[in-house]
Amino acid sequence: MKVWLTLALIVLVNAVVFWFSPIRPAAFHPDPTPPLSGVLEANSALTKARVSGRSQIVGGEDIAMDSKGNLYTGDHQGVIWRRDADSQQWQEYARDPLIKRAIGLTVDASDNVIVCDAFNGLLLIDSDQQVQVLVNQANGRAFGLTDDVDIGPDGTIYFSDATTRYDVNSYKLEALESVPSGRLLAYDPVSKQTRVLLSDLFFANGVAVSPAGDFVLVNETYAYRVTRYWLKGDKAGQSDIFADNLPGFPDGISSVGNGEYWIAFFAPRLALLDTVHPYPALKRWLGGLPQWLSPEPQPYGFVAKLDQQGNMVMSLHDPQGKQLSAVTSAEQYGTTLYMGSLINSGIGEIAVQVK
């Protein structure tokens, strides 16, 4: 009798977990994970990185530099930090109720800091540290998780709305759900109009405009790919895949300025996640479990460089994740590559070659 009661209790608990799961997943059939070999072979390059602001900045996901060489990042408490170009010291730059979680940053031609705030949309911080909301919705739909941002040669601000279904506290559910809801958008600072360039993206993350301004790239984190949207030429208004079947979760992407791009991987792909992706019912049940039971990616530092055709041409690693891990942005200024992390402390930097 006790055995039957135990079995009945197990069935009941699992039924409740399944029924009250917040997700309604779709099947996803990812290609086999490419091996870390050739230019992707693990090395120890990132173990030599210097980390600044480790005692001050937690969760500095993105980095931006102004025309004077000052460096900016945000943190998990909504503070914008600036590292002075001369003193090399980090100090608080802006703290405002409108800034709750700055996860994407860039600087415009007037040295205003443009921020993607995960909760409040696209923001502008002027030289007096005054904060204003540029836009927080498009086509009548509020942003769910404003993520990353870049500016084109003509001043147009391109940014991503990672998901319209979840916020920054529950974004992992979208990895299981496999129902795309992300958007790539363009904001015109003159007309103050916002256009949706692409929708139904699998967690629209990092954004990078080409040096010529003829296309913009956006990372689809949970589809392991980089999508390209054409802004000029015969393909204007069309999109295609720039890089596919990536070896990790692509987060930030940035232009080097010579046609190459740095891409930051939050972590290598999870074999368990890829294994369950084809089975919606199993994913629905998993989505109903407490998030603390979800498998976490291994600590690993990983960035790579793509050429003009989207091919991997080099990679930098910290296989144990002791110096850098969960890298979410990689921005090159001069001969230095700066790297941020959504969850870890400080900003990493390492010298790189310039072609």
Side-chain angles (χ1 to χ4, degrees):
M1 179 66 70
K2 289 183 178 181
V3 173
W4 285 108
L5 286 175
T6 300
L7 289 175
L9 181 61
I10 291 173
V11 170
L12 177 62
V13 168
N14 281 284
V16 169
V17 169
F18 179 87
W19 182 260
F20 288 101
S21 174
I23 65 173
R24 297 297 180 267
F28 175 46
H29 301 274
D31 291 330
T33 304
L36 295 183
S37 59
V39 297
L40 292 176
E41 186 172 359
N43 54 55
S44 60
L46 292 184
T47 64
K48 303 175 178 64
R50 172 178 173 263
V51 180
S52 66
R54 199 186 285 276
S55 63
Q56 299 157 289
I57 302 165
V58 178
E61 174 160 8
D62 200 10
I63 313 105
M65 182 179 286
D66 66 19
S67 63
K68 301 177 181 65
N70 300 309
L71 204 64
Y72 299 85
T73 191
D75 70 10
H76 72 298
Q77 294 182 322
V79 177
I80 302 298
W81 293 82
R82 181 173 74 174
R83 193 177 79 176
D84 184 79
D86 296 323
S87 70
Q88 296 292 292
Q89 298 297 311
W90 287 101
Q91 296 180 330
E92 283 193 20
Y93 179 71
R95 184 191 288 263
D96 187 278
L98 287 173
I99 309 171
K100 290 187 176 180
R101 188 65 170 94
I103 57 176
L105 292 89
T106 192
V107 176
D108 68 15
S110 299
D111 278 347
N112 299 307
V113 180
I114 308 299
V115 173
C116 279
D117 185 88
F119 296 96
N120 286 328
L122 190 68
L123 313 180
L124 181 147
I125 307 173
D126 65 22
S127 58
D128 295 321
Q129 291 83 59
Q130 298 300 304
V131 183
Q132 62 175 290
V133 177
L134 296 179
V135 64
N136 56 19
Q137 63 84 32
N139 290 356
R141 191 165 194 175
F143 301 151
L145 203 173
T146 326
D147 200 303
D148 197 28
V149 59
D150 198 12
I151 299 178
D154 63 353
T156 301
I157 300 172
Y158 298 93
F159 65 104
S160 58
D161 181 20
T163 167
T164 58
R165 297 169 61 81
Y166 301 102
D167 63 23
V168 72
N169 297 315
S170 56
Y171 67 92
K172 291 181 181 179
L173 291 174
E174 185 136 327
L176 274 175
E177 196 161 47
S178 303
V179 177
S181 68
R183 298 185 289 180
L184 175 66
L185 307 106
Y187 175 80
D188 185 337
V190 177
S191 68
K192 304 187 185 307
Q193 297 299 306
T194 302
R195 294 178 294 134
V196 177
L197 305 181
L198 291 173
S199 56
D200 297 330
L201 300 175
F202 287 88
F203 204 84
N205 208 322
V207 174
V209 183
S210 68
D214 54 343
F215 62 80
V216 57
L217 302 176
V218 57
N219 286 345
E220 292 189 76
T221 299
Y222 295 144
Y224 313 127
R225 69 189 181 196
V226 184
T227 293
R228 173 172 50 192
Y229 179 86
W230 290 96
L231 301 169
K232 298 178 182 178
D234 296 338
K235 297 182 180 179
Q238 301 178 37
S239 65
D240 54 25
I241 303 302
F242 183 72
D244 202 5
N245 195 32
L246 297 172
F249 296 95
D251 200 298
I253 189 169
S254 65
S255 171
V256 179
N258 61 357
E260 296 179 322
Y261 300 87
W262 284 107
I263 187 167
F265 291 100
F266 182 79
R269 282 163 59 170
L270 280 170
L272 177 60
L273 180 61
D274 283 359
T275 299
V276 303
H277 262 318
Y279 309 104
L282 177 56
K283 292 199 293 181
R284 179 173 173 177
W285 177 80
L286 289 170
L289 296 174
Q291 287 203 40
W292 58 268
L293 287 176
S294 302
E296 292 291 331
Q298 65 184 96
Y300 198 104
F302 187 13
V303 300
K305 185 185 285 187
L306 306 178
D307 66 14
Q308 299 181 54
Q309 287 74 45
N311 301 309
M312 298 278 186
V313 293
M314 70 174 297
S315 62
L316 309 175
H317 302 248
D318 181 349
Q320 303 301 318
K322 292 183 177 180
Q323 187 69 354
L324 292 178
S325 67
V327 182
T328 51
S329 59
E331 303 277 348
Q332 183 175 335
Y333 298 102
T335 60
T336 303
L337 181 67
Y338 297 91
M339 290 158 286
S341 173
L342 175 68
I343 59 176
N344 292 326
S345 301
I347 299 298
E349 56 187 274
I350 191 170
V352 291
Q353 294 182 344
V354 177
K355 289 185 178 180

